[in-house]
C-alpha cells in the first residue's frame, strides 16, 4: 500500500495535491479519477450516524438519514464500562460501512471543566483517565469495521462561548494532566485514523497552527500516524496550519486554502515534501477505507434500537433511593411530565441524530400508569388547572414518577448555559407533588448537572442522562426492577454553581484563564473538602456490595513496570447487579486523590468476585514542569479501592522505585530546601544544615519551636544569601555552589547511563 501511495503522489500535480488537503463539500474529500483516488465521505458522530445526503451543515440544522440514536457521551461515560463502549462503537462502525462513511467524527472527549459548557452532553467526563479509557474502547469498536474515527476536539475546547477565537490559558502541568491526557490515551491505546483539531487557541496559539501540539506531542511523543482534520471552518492560516501538522482543512475554503498552498510551494515558502507528507497521510486513510469495501455491512435499525435501549440501561445512575425503587407493576403509579411520553434523549448541534424510533417510558410500560403533563417540554409552565391536575393525579396514586430534565434550549452546541437550574415550572411542580406524595421518584433527562432544591423532599432520583432513543424502554426496565441500575457519575453534581472550580473565570472572553489548574471536578471539591450534591463515581444499586482483601501483585513498582491491584467484592443483597470498583491514588503535589483505574463486573446475590485492575507508573506520576516529564515525587503512595470518589472502602500503600529525577541546575539562587530534596545533593546539604544549626545555637539547647522555625527559614535560603547571614564568605559560597553542581552532574551522568 505504501508503495502504491507514493507512486500515486509521484504522479499528482501540485494542484491535485493541494486539493487533496481540503474538502470537496461539507462531508466529502476530493477524488482524482485519473489516478484512481475515490471520493470518501466523513460524518458526525459521535452517538449516531448523522449522514446528510443533500445539503450538508455542521450544526445539525438540515436533514440527515434515519439512524439509531445511541446514548450520548454523558450517558455512556456513566457506564464506566469499556466493553460496552467498544460494543457501541462496533454498532456505529457497522452503520458507517453500510452507509459508505469512511470516518465517524467522534468521540468527543473534551474535559468537563464547567457544568455550564453547552456541549457537555456530548463529552464524557471531568476526569481525563475515565474519558481516555472509554474513548479508546469506542474507537477500537468503530475501527474494527475498517471505519475511522476522529477523537475531538484536540484540545482544551471546554466551552462554546467564543470557541473559534478564544485562548485557553493554562500552565503546562494543567494542559498535560487534564486536557491532553484523554487524547494521549486514545492515541496510544487505539490508534485513531484521524484526530480533529479544535477551534480555539491554547496560550495564544491556534491549536490548528501549533507545531508543538500537532507534531511534537501528538505525533512524535505519542506516535499518532493518521491525519489531523480541522474542525469545520477552524482553519485561519492554511500554510502555517499545514506546516504545523494540520493535514486536512474541512469543509473547504472556496479554494483559497488550496491556492495558498500552491502559491507557497511555488514561491518557496512551503517545501513540497511537507505537502506530500500531508497528502500521503490522507491517502493512507482513503485507501485503507476504500480497499476494505468488501467489509460492507447491512444495519438493522430495529436491532440497533434494541441495543440502544440495552446500553441506556447500563448507563443510568441511581442517585437516590429511599426504599422506593424498584416499583411493583401492580402498584398504582402516576407518570408526570412530557418526558414520560417524549423523552429528551439527545442534545442539539452537530451530533443531533434523525432518530429511527423513540419510545417513551409511558408507552413502554405494560402497566399503563396514570398520566398528567404537569409542565411543557420547553420548560414553560402550564395553566393552573393543568398543574393542579398533575398534583392530584400524583396524590391519588401509590407512587408518582416525575420525568423531568433540561429542555433542548437549555443545553446545546453553540452556546453555554448561564445557570444550573431546571426550569422553574419543573422545580415548582416537583416540590408541590412531593408535598402531597411521599412516594415520589424523579427521572432526569439531562446532559449536565443541575441543582435539585427538592432533593430532600423526594424518595428517589434516577438520572437517565441523555439516554438515546431507547431511554424510555430502559427507564421502564429500571423503574420496575427488570434491570438493576449500575451507572456511576462521570462528573460531580455540585450543590451550587458558585461552588464550581472555574466559577469566577468561566466563560472568559478573548482569554479564558484556567486558574483552577488541575483542580477540575472532584479534584477541586475533594481538595477543599467541600460538600457536593452527588460526588464523582457515585451511583446506587438495588443491591449492596462489600469490599475486602485489597492486594497488590508486588509491593513496589518501578519505571516501566505494572502492578495488578485486586479486590474481592461480595454482593450482599438480593438483586443481581453490576459493581464498578474505582481505584484512586493520592497526589504528591495536591491535596486530592485521582482516579487511576476502574473495572465493572456483574455479581449474583451472595457471590464474591475478584476485581483486578492494572496500574502502571502513570497512576502515581504527575507532570513535573522542572523535568518537563511525568514524575513520581514521593516514594510511597496510597492506593484506594472505592465505590465512589467519596466512598473509600479500602486502602493500602505501595512503594515507588523510580529512577527519574529532575535537573536542579544548581546555581547561586538554588535554595537549601531544593538541594535537600534532590538525591544528588541531599547528604551534603544535610551536613551544611547541621553545621549552620550548631553555629546558631552555639552549643546551647534550643526549644523544638525555635529549632523548627530556624529549619523552616534555612530551607528557603538561596545559596547566595549565606554570606549575608555570616555562614560563609562569598568565595566559600562560590566553592559550595560549584561543589553542589558537581555532585548533581555526577549523579545525573550515573542516572542517564
Ligand atoms: C462542528 C463541531 C464538530 C463537528 C463538525 C462537523 O462545528 O464542532 O464536533 O464534527 O463541526 O459537523
Amino acid at each position: 500500500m505504501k508503495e502504491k501511495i507514493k507512486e500515486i503522489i509521484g504522479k499528482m500535480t501540485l494542484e491535485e495535491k493541494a486539493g487533496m488537503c481540503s474538502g470537496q463539500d461539507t462531508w466529502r474529500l476530493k477524488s482524482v479519477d485519473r489516478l484512481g483516488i475515490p471520493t470518501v465521505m466523513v460524518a458526525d458522530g459521535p452517538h449516531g450516524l448523522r449522514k446528510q445526503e443533500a445539503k450538508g451543515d455542521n450544526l445539525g440544522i438540515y436533514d440527515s438519514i434515519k439512524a439509531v440514536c445511541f446514548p450520548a457521551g454523558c450517558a455512556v461515560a456513566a457506564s464506566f464500562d469499556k466493553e460496552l463502549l467498544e460494543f457501541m462503537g462496533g454498532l456505529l462502525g457497522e452503520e458507517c460501512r453500510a452507509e459508505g462513511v469512511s470516518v465517524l467524527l467522534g468521540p468527543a472527549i473534551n474535559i468537563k471543566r464547567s457544568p455550564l459548557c453547552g456541549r457537555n452532553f456530548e463529552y464524557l467526563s471531568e476526569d481525563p483517565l475515565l474519558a481516555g479509557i472509554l474513548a479508546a474502547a469506542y474507537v477500537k469498536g468503530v475501527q474494527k469495521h475498517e471505519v475511522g474515527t476522529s477523537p475531538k476536539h484536540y484540545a482544551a475546547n471546554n466551552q462554546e462561548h467564543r470557541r473559534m477565537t478564544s485562548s485557553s490559558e493554562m500552565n503546562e502541568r494543567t494542559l498535560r494532566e487534564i486536557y491532553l491526557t484523554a487524547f494521549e490515551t486514545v492515541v496510544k491505546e487505539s490508534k485513531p485514523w484521524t484526530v480533529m483539531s479544535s477551534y480555539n487557541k491554547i496560550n495564544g496559539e491556534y491549536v490548528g497552527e501549533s507545531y508543538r501540539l500537532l507534531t511534537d506531542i501528538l505525533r512524535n511523543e505519542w506516535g499518532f500516524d493518521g491525519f489531523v482534520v480541522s474542525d469545520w471552518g477552524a482553519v485561519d492560516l492554511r500554510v502555517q496550519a499545514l506546516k504545523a501538522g494540520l493535514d486536512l482543512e474541512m469543509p473547504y475554503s472556496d479554494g483559497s486554502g488550496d491556492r495558498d498552498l500552491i502559491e507557497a510551494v511555488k514561491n518557496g515558502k512551503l517545501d513540497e515534501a511537507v505537502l506530500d507528507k500531508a497528502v500521503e497521510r490522507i491517502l493512507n486513510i482513503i485507501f485503507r477505507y476504500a480497499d476494505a469495501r468488501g467489509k460492507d455491512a447491512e444495519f438493522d435499525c430495529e436491532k440497533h434500537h434494541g441495543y440502544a435501549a440495552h446500553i441506556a440501561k447500563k448507563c443510568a445512575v441511581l442517585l437516590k433511593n429511599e426504599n422506593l425503587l424498584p416499583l411493583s407493576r401492580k402498584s398504582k403509579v402516576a407518570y408526570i411530565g412530557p418526558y414520560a411520553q417524549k423523552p429528551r434523549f439527545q442534545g442539539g448541534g452537530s451530533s443531533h441524530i434523525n432518530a429511527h424510533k423513540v419510545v417513551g417510558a409511558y408507552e413502554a410500560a405494560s402497566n399503563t400508569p396514570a398520566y398528567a403533563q404537569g409542565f411543557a417540554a420547553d420548560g414553560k409552565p402550564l395553566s393552573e388547572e393543568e398543574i393542579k391536575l398533575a398534583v392530584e393525579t400524583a396524590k391519588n396514586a401509590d407512587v408518582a414518577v416525575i420525568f423531568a430534565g433540561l429542555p433542548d434550549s437549555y443545553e446545546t452546541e453553540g452556546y453555554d448555559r448561564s445557570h444550573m437550574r431546571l426550569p422553574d415550572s419543573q422545580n415548582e411542580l416537583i416540590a408541590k407533588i412531593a408535598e402531597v406524595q411521599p412516594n415520589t421518584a424523579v427521572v432526569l433527562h439531562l446532559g449536565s448537572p443541575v441543582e435539585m432544591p427538592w432533593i430532600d423532599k423526594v424518595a428517589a432520583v434516577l438520572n437517565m442522562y441523555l439516554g438515546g432513543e431507547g431511554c424510555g424502554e430502559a427507564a421502564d426496565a429500571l423503574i420496575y426492577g427488570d434491570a438493576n441500575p449500575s451507572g456511576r457519575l462521570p462528573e460531580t453534581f455540585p450543590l451550587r454553581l458558585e461552588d464550581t472550580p472555574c466559577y469566577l473565570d468561566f466563560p472568559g472572553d478573548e482569554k479564558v484563564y484556567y486558574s483552577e489548574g488541575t483542580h477540575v471536578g472532584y479534584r477541586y471539591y475533594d481538595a477543599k473538602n467541600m460538600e457536593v450534591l452527588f460526588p464523582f463515581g457515585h451511583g446506587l444499586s438495588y443491591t449492596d456490595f462489600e469490599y475486602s482483601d485489597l492486594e497488590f501483585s508486588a509491593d513496589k513498582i518501578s519505571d516501566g513496570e505494572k502492578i495488578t491491584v485486586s479486590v474481592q467484592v461480595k454482593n450482599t443483597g438480593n438483586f443481581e447487579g453490576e459493581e464498578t470498583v474505582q481505584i484512586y491514588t493520592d497526589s504528591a503535589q495536591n491535596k486530592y486523590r485521582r482516579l487511576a483505574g476502574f473495572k465493572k463486573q456483574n455479581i449474583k446475590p451472595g457471590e464474591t468476585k475478584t476485581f483486578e485492575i492494572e496500574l502502571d507508573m502513570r497512576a502515581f506520576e504527575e507532570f513535573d514542569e522542572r523535568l518537563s516529564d511525568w514524575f513520581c515525587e514521593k516514594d510511597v503512595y496510597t492506593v484506594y479501592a472505592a465505590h465512589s470518589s467519596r466512598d473509600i472502602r479500602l486502602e493500602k500503600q505501595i512503594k515507588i522505585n523510580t529512577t527519574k529525577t529532575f535537573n536542579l541546575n544548581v546555581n547561586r539562587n538554588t535554595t537549601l530546601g531544593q538541594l535537600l530534596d534532590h538525591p544528588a545533593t541531599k547528604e551534603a546539604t544535610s551536613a551544611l544544615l547541621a553545621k549552620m544549626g550548631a553555629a546558631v545555637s552555639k552549643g546551647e539547647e534550643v526549644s523544638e519551636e525555635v529549632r523548627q522555625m530556624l529549619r523552616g527559614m534555612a530551607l528557603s535560603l538561596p545559596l547566595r544569601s549565606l554570606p549575608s547571614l555570616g555562614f560563609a564568605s562569598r568565595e566559600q559560597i562560590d566553592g559550595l555552589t560549584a561543589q553542589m553542581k558537581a555532585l548533581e552532574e555526577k549523579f545525573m551522568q550515573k542516572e542517564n547511563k
Side-chain angles (χ1 to χ4, degrees):
M1 166 72 89
K2 234 173 163 39
E3 286 320 305
K4 167 184 164 186
I5 286 172
K6 286 218 181 294
E7 196 188 319
I8 290 174
I9 294 172
K11 295 175 184 161
M12 291 174 82
T13 65
L14 177 56
E15 288 66 22
E16 287 166 338
K17 291 177 188 176
M20 194 45 64
C21 295
S22 72
Q24 168 187 297
D25 58 32
T26 308
W27 302 117
R28 288 170 187 78
L29 278 65
K30 298 185 185 84
S31 60
V32 182
D33 299 342
R34 72 182 188 84
L35 295 173
I37 301 173
T39 295
V40 294
M41 183 177 194
V42 301
D44 290 315
H47 47 261
L49 180 53
R50 184 171 80 90
K51 176 186 172 187
Q52 295 181 308
E53 304 275 28
K55 187 166 174 45
D57 74 294
N58 66 320
L59 281 177
I61 299 159
Y62 301 117
D63 216 357
S64 56
I65 64 164
K66 278 278 183 196
V68 173
C69 182
F70 292 96
C74 56
V76 290
S79 73
F80 274 70
D81 189 335
K82 289 194 300 188
E83 287 70 29
L84 191 72
L85 270 283
E86 185 167 342
F87 173 67
M88 183 172 119
L91 300 174
L92 286 161
E94 268 180 50
E95 296 184 3
C96 287
R97 282 236 69 99
E99 285 294 330
V101 170
S102 65
V103 175
L104 186 66
L105 301 171
I109 57 176
N110 290 108
I111 293 301
K112 304 190 185 195
R113 174 176 179 246
S114 166
L116 297 181
C117 172
R119 281 183 92 169
N120 272 359
F121 70 88
E122 212 178 322
Y123 300 150
L124 299 181
S125 179
E126 66 190 27
D127 181 84
L129 180 118
L130 178 66
I133 288 176
L134 293 181
Y138 168 102
V139 166
K140 231 172 259 174
V142 175
Q143 296 191 165
K144 72 176 173 237
H145 290 277
E146 287 304 305
V147 167
T149 55
S150 197
K152 64 188 186 181
H153 311 85
Y154 179 73
N157 176 187
N158 306 103
Q159 61 190 57
E160 291 302 287
H161 178 69
R162 300 199 62 165
R163 65 176 179 170
M164 296 185 80
T165 54
S166 70
S167 176
S168 302
E169 301 282 315
M170 67 189 82
N171 63 29
E172 183 69 4
R173 183 176 168 222
T174 302
L175 176 65
R176 289 285 190 154
E177 282 188 24
I178 304 295
Y179 298 99
L180 293 190
T181 292
F183 290 97
E184 178 183 6
T185 304
V186 182
V187 165
K188 287 181 174 176
E189 302 253 322
S190 55
K191 296 177 77 61
W193 288 16
T194 85
V195 164
M196 185 186 293
S197 59
S198 60
Y199 284 123
N200 56 289
K201 298 173 188 170
I202 294 178
N203 296 331
E205 182 184 40
Y206 275 113
V207 172
E209 294 167 10
S210 168
Y211 188 87
R212 178 168 174 268
L213 287 167
L214 299 186
T215 298
D216 278 347
I217 295 176
L218 182 62
R219 292 186 189 283
N220 300 342
E221 220 179 286
W222 299 345
F224 174 63
D225 62 1
F227 70 71
V228 173
V229 55
S230 73
D231 200 339
W232 266 234
V235 172
D236 177 17
L237 304 175
R238 183 64 189 111
V239 176
Q240 190 161 336
L242 189 98
K243 285 179 178 174
L246 197 161
D247 307 298
L248 177 64
E249 171 187 18
M250 284 305 280
Y252 47 79
S253 45
D254 285 338
S256 59
D258 303 357
R259 285 193 296 277
D260 290 347
L261 295 177
I262 293 164
E263 194 50 43
V265 170
K266 286 182 174 167
N267 65 24
K269 291 218 171 61
L270 172 65
D271 178 349
E272 188 160 0
V274 173
L275 178 58
D276 290 353
K277 191 68 198 150
V279 173
E280 182 185 355
R281 291 175 186 142
I282 294 167
L283 292 183
N284 280 343
I285 300 303
I286 288 175
F287 285 106
R288 179 167 178 183
Y289 170 74
D291 292 356
R293 189 148 320 269
K295 290 193 173 234
D296 283 355
E298 284 299 308
F299 84 85
D300 170 347
C301 278
E302 268 309 300
K303 192 169 72 169
H304 283 202
H305 173 87
Y307 287 138
H310 164 74
I311 294 166
K313 281 179 210 164
K314 297 165 85 73
C315 299
V317 186
L318 184 58
L319 296 175
K320 178 180 182 181
N321 189 29
E322 282 168 355
N323 305 315
L324 181 64
L325 299 177
L327 305 181
S328 154
R329 291 195 188 273
K330 294 192 180 65
S331 46
K332 203 173 154 212
V333 182
Y335 281 5
I336 310 295
Y339 296 149
Q341 309 253 3
K342 288 193 178 347
R344 180 150 178 270
F345 61 94
Q346 64 172 329
S350 60
S351 67
H352 196 83
I353 302 304
N354 180 4
H356 160 66
K357 154 176 113 174
V358 186
V359 177
Y362 183 78
E363 185 187 340
S366 57
N367 52 323
T368 328
Y371 174 76
Q373 188 179 354
F375 54 85
D378 64 4
K380 294 192 181 68
L382 296 179
S383 68
E384 275 312 309
E385 291 68 32
E386 286 171 307
I387 293 169
K388 207 157 156 274
L389 171 64
V391 176
E392 279 307 300
T393 306
K395 185 179 171 187
N396 298 334
D398 300 331
V399 182
V401 183
I402 305 171
F403 292 79
L406 289 174
D408 283 334
S409 63
Y410 276 54
E411 54 179 353
T412 176
E413 179 175 346
Y415 56 84
D416 302 309
R417 291 195 288 171
S418 55
H419 61 78
M420 268 190 3
R421 297 186 302 278
L422 286 167
D424 293 345
S425 60
Q426 293 186 28
N427 282 328
E428 286 158 17
L429 183 71
I430 293 170
K432 281 196 179 105
I433 287 176
E435 284 300 308
V436 300
Q437 176 50 270
N439 298 326
T440 295
V442 176
V443 177
L444 292 172
H445 303 75
L446 40 72
S448 41
V450 293
E451 294 163 4
M452 301 182 200
W454 34 261
I455 188 63
D456 296 332
K457 302 196 182 82
V458 302
V461 180
L462 176 66
N463 178 11
M464 297 304 294
Y465 266 115
L466 295 185
E469 64 179 64
C471 72
E473 291 123 304
D476 177 69
L478 293 162
I479 289 167
Y480 295 99
D482 300 337
N484 185 358
S486 64
R488 301 284 180 269
L489 285 180
E491 62 190 320
T492 306
F493 272 51
L495 279 167
R496 312 173 312 149
L497 178 61
E498 295 82 344
D499 292 348
T500 52
C502 59
Y503 175 66
L504 297 176
D505 289 319
F506 190 90
D509 214 10
E510 195 58 33
K511 290 190 175 187
V512 186
Y513 294 100
Y514 286 44
S515 46
E516 75 281 357
T518 61
H519 291 87
V520 174
Y522 68 90
R523 286 172 169 77
Y524 174 76
Y525 303 114
D526 290 357
K528 290 192 67 175
N529 199 17
M530 284 172 78
E531 206 194 329
V532 294
L533 183 56
F534 297 108
F536 175 86
H538 170 73
L540 302 177
S541 168
Y542 292 150
T543 189
D544 291 308
F545 299 104
E546 196 176 81
Y547 287 39
S548 63
D549 305 315
L550 170 58
E551 299 298 340
F552 302 147
S553 56
D555 61 7
K556 70 173 175 44
I557 179 172
S558 307
D559 294 330
E561 291 179 347
K562 293 184 176 177
I563 52 156
T564 301
V565 177
S566 65
V567 185
Q568 302 303 315
V569 179
K570 181 175 183 181
N571 179 340
T572 54
N574 308 318
F575 250 92
E576 184 168 350
E578 293 183 285
E579 172 60 331
T580 296
V581 168
Q582 299 158 40
I583 299 295
Y584 293 84
T585 55
D586 57 3
S587 158
Q589 303 198 18
N590 293 96
K591 301 177 182 64
Y592 52 63
R593 292 182 286 267
R594 305 123 348 126
L595 185 68
F598 58 91
K599 183 163 182 64
K600 183 173 197 175
Q601 286 192 93
N602 187 57
I603 314 179
K604 290 186 174 56
E607 188 187 19
T608 296
K609 275 208 175 154
T610 303
F611 285 67
E612 292 189 335
I613 295 114
E614 207 172 57
L615 302 183
D616 60 15
M617 281 294 270
R618 190 62 80 80
F620 307 97
E621 293 173 329
E622 288 165 298
F623 194 81
D624 192 304
E625 295 188 20
R626 296 167 297 183
L627 210 62
S628 193
D629 192 1
W630 296 86
F631 178 60
C632 272
E633 186 98 19
K634 302 194 297 182
D635 48 17
V636 175
Y637 280 78
T638 303
V639 176
Y640 304 88
H643 174 78
S644 84
S645 61
R646 291 276 175 101
D647 181 355
I648 306 296
R649 302 288 177 90
L650 301 166
E651 61 180 78
K652 188 179 170 83
Q653 295 204 315
I654 180 126
K655 287 198 190 65
I656 303 294
N657 192 8
T658 179
T659 55
K660 279 187 191 175
T661 185
F662 50 86
N663 283 311
L664 252 185
N665 298 320
V666 177
N667 61 69
R668 48 199 300 280
N669 282 307
T670 307
T671 67
L672 298 186
Q674 285 172 304
L675 291 165
L676 194 64
D677 278 350
H678 198 287
T681 48
K682 181 173 184 159
E683 202 178 318
T685 310
S686 301
L688 174 62
L689 284 167
K691 235 170 75 185
M692 287 166 63
V696 168
S697 62
K698 297 187 177 53
E700 300 287 315
E701 270 307 301
V702 289
S703 71
E704 181 52 22
E705 289 76 11
V706 170
R707 211 183 60 73
Q708 287 291 350
M709 179 195 68
L710 289 174
R711 182 169 178 82
M713 285 178 175
L715 293 181
S716 54
L717 290 177
L719 286 169
R720 63 170 163 73
S721 67
L722 299 185
S724 62
L725 298 166
F727 285 123
S729 66
R730 166 65 66 82
E731 291 67 30
Q732 283 167 324
I733 289 309
D734 291 346
L736 178 62
T737 306
Q739 178 207 348
M740 293 293 185
K741 206 168 169 54
L743 282 170
E744 184 195 9
E745 275 156 15
K746 192 159 153 266
F747 179 88
M748 296 310 284
Q749 275 153 20
K750 191 163 65 63
E751 283 310 303
N752 296 335
K753 229 181 247 126

